[in-house]
């Protein structure tokens, strides 16, 4: 049981965590801070936070657990702003979609207190951002990847695990680099492709007529193209090396399929489609 959650970034992810932790009876009060005072005020009015803070440092003051739920590019500045109040007794976590850059930022900004920081990435979310979409059930049954480093304090790691389990998460631990390589393949690349695909259609004359005819296949394939531009700009840039490696593999695969189509090689094409189907069909989302 925590005394006070200091929430920095009262949006979809942070707001959902606050609502779920309160519902689980794991925290007495939530003090929140967001960049725009209007967001912080909305979070209080919606009952996501109990008290509005006017700075990140103020949100941390008196808190025994702190969650950073800001765009990954804002991690370092935020940690620098709060570092004077971070002690061995405070658990500090994030929810950022990339981990190598976040861990590097934590080492630089928290220095000897970096052990209090437990890097986390919940495999949950939606395209719609903002506190009005916060949902106490968002983390229910979803994997939460924790990427501890050698200096992470065991006591804080245990508390982080308990907090995520209390909000319904299924905790998986791995190294930051392994996280970034895997997530580039299953999340960052599909987003890049969805953006490219939509722009490829939109750049054609007759695009509106094409889109008017689209059905469920298009809906499923393109859903994530509606994601938040700022958030995804930051993520794609933060995981550049792994993302570009995955993009190269994708190009090779696409080129091979195009060659089969161009050659009219139905047998080869069917083999490739069968292979894809055999991997996709039995797949189930982790944690559920
Ligand atoms: P969001 O709904 O837009 O919320 C982000 C919040 O952070 C907003 O309230 C924003 O405040 C605030 N903020 C931005 N810069 C800040 C700063 N410098 N200091 C304090 N607050 C700041 O976005 P989200 O979907 O919750 O994403 C937050 C994090 O979760 C990102 O790092 C993302 O990588 C990660 N994540 C997202 C998903 C997903 O599906 N959405 C999934 C997994 C992980 P204003 O309203 O004032 O701008």
């Amino acid at each position: 049981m925590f005394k006070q959650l200091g929430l920095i970034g009262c949006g979809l992810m942070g707001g959902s965590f606050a609502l779920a932790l309160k519902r689980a009876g794991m925290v007495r009060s939530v003090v929140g801070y967001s960049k725009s005072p209007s967001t912080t005020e909305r979070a209080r009015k919606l009952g996501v936070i109990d008290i509005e803070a006017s700075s990140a440092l103020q949100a941390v003051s008196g808190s025994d657990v702190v969650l950073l739920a800001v765009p990954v590019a804002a991690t370092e500045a935020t940690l620098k702003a709060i570092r004077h109040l971070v002690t061995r007794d405070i658990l500090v976590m994030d929810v950022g979609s990339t981990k190598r850059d976040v861990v590097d930022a934590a080492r630089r900004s928290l220095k000897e207190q970096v052990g209090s920081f437990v890097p986390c990435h919940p495999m949950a979310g939606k395209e719609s951002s903002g506190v009005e979409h916060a949902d106490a059930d968002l983390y229910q049954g979803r994997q939460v990847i924790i990427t501890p480093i050698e200096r992470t304090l065991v006591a804080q790691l245990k508390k982080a695990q308990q907090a995520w389990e209390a909000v319904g998460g299924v905790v998986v631990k791995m190294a930051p680099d392994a996280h970034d390589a895997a997530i580039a393949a299953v999340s960052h690349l599909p987003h890049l492709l969805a953006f490219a695909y939509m722009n490829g259609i939109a750049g054609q004359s007759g695009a509106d007529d094409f889109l008017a005819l689209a059905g469920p296949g298009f809906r499923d394939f393109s859903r994530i193209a509606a994601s938040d531009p700022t958030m995804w700009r930051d993520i794609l840039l933060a995981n550049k090396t792994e993302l570009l490696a995955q993009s190269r593999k994708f190009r090779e695969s696409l080129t091979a399929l195009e060659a089969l189509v161009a050659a009219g090689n139905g047998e080869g094409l069917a083999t490739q489609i069968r292979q894809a189907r055999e991997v996709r069909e039995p797949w189930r989302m982790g944690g559920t």
Side-chain angles (χ1 to χ4, degrees):
M1 168 80 175
F2 297 105
K3 188 173 57 157
Q4 180 177 298
L5 167 67
L7 179 63
I8 305 173
C10 307
L12 170 73
M13 302 300 285
S16 299
F17 182 82
L19 286 175
L21 204 65
K22 281 208 263 190
R23 188 176 67 182
M26 281 284 283
V27 69
R28 268 186 234 133
S29 73
V30 179
V31 179
Y33 166 73
S34 258
K35 203 170 52 167
S36 332
S38 58
T39 302
T40 318
E41 190 187 353
R42 204 155 62 245
R44 185 185 49 76
K45 286 190 173 153
L46 288 168
V48 169
I49 63 169
D50 304 306
I51 300 162
E52 293 172 44
S54 57
S55 68
L57 197 64
Q58 201 182 69
V60 176
S61 175
S63 295
D64 49 354
V65 56
V66 171
L67 186 76
L68 264 66
V70 298
V72 281
T75 305
E76 183 155 3
T78 307
L79 289 175
K80 277 188 177 150
I82 66 168
R83 74 169 159 218
H84 301 299
L85 288 182
V86 176
T87 64
R88 286 178 68 85
D89 303 325
I90 297 181
L91 165 64
V92 182
M93 301 184 284
D94 80 314
V95 293
S97 306
T98 52
K99 291 275 77 78
R100 173 83 266 156
D101 65 316
V102 162
V103 162
D104 289 345
R107 281 188 220 270
R108 283 194 298 269
S109 39
L110 295 178
K111 300 195 164 77
E112 63 283 358
Q113 298 303 343
V114 73
S116 295
F117 180 70
V118 180
C120 306
H121 178 200
M123 298 305 293
K126 337 182 186 176
E127 314 78 76
S128 32
S129 49
V131 70
E132 43 289 315
H133 298 285
D135 173 2
D137 287 324
L138 189 75
Y139 301 113
Q140 204 61 49
R142 293 305 178 88
Q143 292 190 98
V144 178
I145 306 172
I146 296 188
T147 64
I149 57 170
E150 63 295 340
R151 293 185 64 186
T152 308
L153 296 168
V154 174
Q156 300 304 359
L157 185 58
K158 270 195 198 150
K159 279 195 252 169
Q161 179 150 359
Q162 283 164 0
W164 285 110
E165 284 171 355
V167 301
V170 178
V171 170
V172 178
K173 292 190 199 113
M174 62 169 68
D177 286 342
H179 165 279
D180 285 5
I183 299 304
V186 297
S187 171
H188 303 167
L189 178 68
H191 278 82
L192 187 79
L193 299 182
F195 303 140
Y197 170 68
M198 285 308 303
N199 290 341
I201 291 192
Q204 300 175 35
S205 60
D208 290 347
D209 296 338
F210 297 167
L211 292 174
L213 295 172
F218 171 85
R219 183 197 57 203
D220 294 348
F221 187 79
S222 65
R223 179 179 62 80
I224 53 181
S227 298
D228 183 73
T230 310
M231 183 176 108
W232 276 96
R233 175 201 63 193
D234 287 359
I235 293 169
L236 301 182
L237 292 177
N239 201 17
K240 182 162 53 176
T241 308
E242 297 295 351
L243 172 63
L244 292 177
Q246 287 301 326
S247 188
R248 277 191 294 276
K249 288 185 207 300
F250 171 77
R251 266 171 217 274
E252 285 164 21
S253 176
L254 182 64
T255 303
L257 280 177
E258 284 173 346
L260 292 171
V261 173
N265 184 346
E267 201 182 320
L269 200 52
T271 303
Q272 291 290 315
I273 296 170
R274 202 172 301 113
Q275 274 176 17
R277 181 189 157 106
E278 278 166 11
V279 177
R280 177 58 179 85
E281 211 181 33
W283 176 83
R284 293 282 172 274
M285 194 155 61
T288 53

